[in-house]
Amino acid sequence: MTRRAREAAELVRLAAAIDTLPMAERAVYLLGAVDGLDYPRIGFRLGLSVEEVERLTASAVLAVSRALDRDDEPQKPQE
């Protein structure tokens, strides 16, 4: 597999993991990671406190990380 193909596959896995997030977590995650907004700006945009943005971000990052880790685990053979 070429480097470009591996990178494309990784982006597909990341997008799939993000798609599984609840709407509020997904919005906070994307506003920070893609749009580069800081927590106060994300909170202002979504009508949330900075503390709530922090909590949602932590939850989203953990969920995405776990989803990607699950994808990395070797598959058990089916019997």
Side-chain angles (χ1 to χ4, degrees):
M1 183 182 282
T2 67
R3 179 174 164 243
R4 184 175 228 161
R6 281 191 307 273
E7 289 172 353
E10 185 69 17
L11 285 175
V12 168
R13 290 176 55 224
L14 177 60
I18 292 169
D19 283 345
T20 67
L21 296 173
M23 185 172 38
E25 288 181 17
R26 186 178 327 129
V28 166
Y29 185 88
L30 291 174
L31 286 170
V34 176
D35 294 341
L37 298 182
D38 60 14
Y39 291 169
R41 286 188 175 98
I42 294 170
F44 178 78
R45 191 171 283 188
L46 299 177
L48 302 171
S49 69
V50 170
E51 292 79 16
E52 186 69 4
V53 172
E54 290 171 345
R55 187 189 69 72
L56 289 167
T57 300
S59 182
V61 168
L62 182 61
V64 168
S65 177
R66 285 181 175 162
L68 294 176
D69 285 347
R70 270 193 309 274
D71 289 347
D72 286 340
E73 292 175 2
Q75 300 298 316
K76 295 179 183 177
Q78 294 185 1
E79 298 179 24

